[in-house]
Amino acid sequence: MEGRKKHASWMDTFQDYPPPPGISESLAHEYTIIIDDVLHSLWELGRNTVLCWAPNGQGMALLVAPHYRIAEMVDIPNRSSSDALDESLIENVVSGSKLTTLESLEQTAKAFDIEPHYIKLPFTPGEGLSLELITALVRRFSISLVKDRAVALLDIVGFSLLSPLEQVTQLNSLSYSVNAAHSKLLDREIKINFARTTTGDGFYIWSRTTNIRANVDLYKFLHLILADNAIAQGKSTGRTTPLLRACLHVGAHYEYYQAVSLSPTTFSYIVGDVTIELARMIERSLPCQVLIGDFDVPMPNPQNGEVERINTIEFIKRTRDSIGQLHGIELSGDVVESIQCYLTGSEHEDGSFGINRYLISDKHGLTRYVFNAKINIHRKNEPPLYLGIQDSEMSAFEVMQVDDVTS
């Protein structure tokens, strides 16, 4: 019974990967328990992290290192050129796929002076269990560096001033808006596999999928969350529905799994450059404001399909071009007829509007550029929703510099 309890945490992962042809679900279940036992033993309650694995005939090879060893390799004073190579290797291993070839794993082990673990199994990886399932299991016992991923931060305004009961009610309301928005995206076959972690008075939200399309889908997801919350706020009484402010940025972060009941959880946590930037951005944002970071991100060129890096302005433009997928969605009983999203700016002499980029500073004196976003949602037989704040309403927004960066 205790063994079954220990393995209950990965059951959701198991359900996502059907057994290979000819393997029954019960047998795949037993094989999964074997892999999980191997990983749990090497993990040593969180002392170690699994860097990568490789199929090895009827078995597997794993590269395992103490978590502090990785940090020590990266953070070495007076680094020599050979040390710099080690750091590059570490970044490639941590940011790369956990599944590699046996030759590559052994080369990495030699470079890091770590002995691989060779494990015999009662089945051949790829035949008894899919390589994808094994990799998903390995990832729970590892640390991953993810680059160029969009992350959203939702923050409840005035949360600390609420009573404990009001805090719980508003967090539940926000959770419902997240879940409702996710359901609506799935109805439109926008399959965002999102994750979230609490900040205490809100959530970080990101897509577990790391492909290029996931960043655009996350921004659409943010639109629907804010829209559902705004509609609910208009229909609720008292302080049951939160007043929100939101930020979105794209950058790098580490993803890891904490131990619960002596085993890693099936849901991940993130920490890194992108979460730090979002936390600093939200400090300066106003109630109801939506801030977008200043970033560049890989996106396919719509003309030739080649991947190129584009800036925030072009990212929002391409998102706007595909937002029609959301038209007709029903949120909290209201039908959405159209959604427009744009970055705000000052009015020009010819009556057109530019795009402003704002330089803000945080409590540490560090600076960053941000954009102010607006989202207009038109509903059938209902007044439109105007999410975010207009450029003319930003007198209380503390900035060091404003630049018109209209392309």
Side-chain angles (χ1 to χ4, degrees), residues 138 155 175 246 258 298 345 359:
V138 167
D155 186 76
S175 293
Q258 289 187 342
L359 181 65

Side-chain angles (χ1 to χ4, degrees), residues 39 45 69 134 146 155 159 171 178 185 203 213 221 227 246 251 255 272 282 285 302 317 325 359 364:
L39 294 168
L45 303 181
R69 176 80 183 278
I134 299 174
V146 183
D155 186 76
F159 186 80
L171 283 171
V178 172
L185 286 179
F203 298 109
R213 184 72 190 177
F221 189 26
E255 188 166 12
I282 209 73
S285 62
K317 180 180 181 298
Q325 286 179 286
L359 181 65
H364 304 290

Side-chain angles (χ1 to χ4, degrees), residues 121-364:
L121 299 170
F123 64 91
T124 299
E127 297 178 8
L129 283 181
S130 70
L131 300 181
E132 292 80 9
L133 172 57
I134 299 174
T135 302
L137 293 171
V138 167
R139 196 175 295 117
R140 293 178 50 238
F141 295 86
S142 66
I143 299 172
S144 300
L145 174 61
V146 183
K147 300 179 180 180
D148 295 321
R149 176 184 270 171
V151 180
L153 174 55
L154 293 163
D155 186 76
I156 298 175
V157 176
F159 186 80
S160 62
L161 302 178
L162 300 172
S163 70
L165 182 56
E166 288 172 332
Q167 289 179 341
V168 170
T169 301
Q170 291 201 5
L171 283 171
N172 281 337
S173 175
L174 179 54
S175 293
Y176 174 78
S177 289
V178 172
N179 293 336
H182 184 220
S183 174
K184 298 304 180 182
L185 286 179
L186 293 179
D187 288 345
R188 293 301 173 97
E189 298 186 351
I190 301 175
K191 298 180 179 179
I192 180 170
N193 182 15
F194 83 94
R196 71 183 177 206
T197 184
T198 182
T199 63
D201 50 3
F203 298 109
Y204 286 114
I205 299 177
W206 66 97
S207 173
R208 291 190 182 95
T209 308
T210 55
N211 61 32
I212 294 171
R213 184 72 190 177
N215 290 336
V216 173
D217 289 342
L218 184 74
Y219 191 47
K220 295 176 184 176
F221 189 26
L222 178 60
H223 288 177
L224 294 187
I225 295 170
L226 293 174
D228 187 89
N229 170 260
I231 294 171
Q233 194 172 55
K235 296 181 177 182
S236 64
T237 59
R239 295 198 288 185
T240 59
T241 307
L243 181 68
L244 299 177
R245 52 183 181 172
C247 297
L248 181 132
H249 193 45
V250 177
H253 65 79
Y254 289 94
E255 188 166 12
Y256 66 101
Y257 295 76
Q258 289 187 342
V260 175
S261 299
L262 306 184
S263 292
T265 60
T266 55
F267 51 89
S268 59
Y269 297 82
I270 60 173
V271 63
D273 292 340
V274 68
T275 58
I276 292 170
E277 289 296 300
L278 285 167
R280 300 294 178 255
M281 289 164 60
I282 209 73
E283 285 178 358
R284 290 290 180 262
S285 62
L286 302 175
C288 301
Q289 190 169 23
V290 180
L291 289 180
I292 310 296
D294 186 24
F295 55 79
D296 63 85
V297 64
M299 286 282 287
N301 186 303
Q303 273 72 46
N304 54 32
E306 294 183 2
V307 175
E308 59 188 13
R309 299 197 72 89
I310 62 172
N311 61 21
T312 301
I313 296 173
E314 184 63 22
F315 175 82
I316 297 298
K317 180 180 181 298
R318 295 191 188 182
T319 302
R320 187 170 61 238
D321 290 343
S322 65
I323 207 74
Q325 286 179 286
L326 304 182
H327 296 168
I329 275 181
E330 184 177 314
L331 294 173
S332 295
D334 293 347
V335 176
V336 174
E337 292 189 325
S338 67
I339 300 177
Q340 289 88 39
C341 60
Y342 58 93
L343 302 176
T344 69
S346 305
E347 186 175 5
H348 295 159
E349 291 183 358
D350 62 1
S352 64
F353 286 86
I355 296 174
N356 286 348
R357 186 178 65 177
Y358 302 90
L359 181 65
I360 60 175
S361 65
D362 60 30
K363 60 185 178 183
H364 304 290

Side-chain angles (χ1 to χ4, degrees), residues 389-400:
I389 60 176
Q390 292 281 12
D391 190 69
S392 58
E393 302 170 326
M394 294 178 58
S395 58
F397 186 47
E398 297 180 9
V399 300
M400 300 178 63

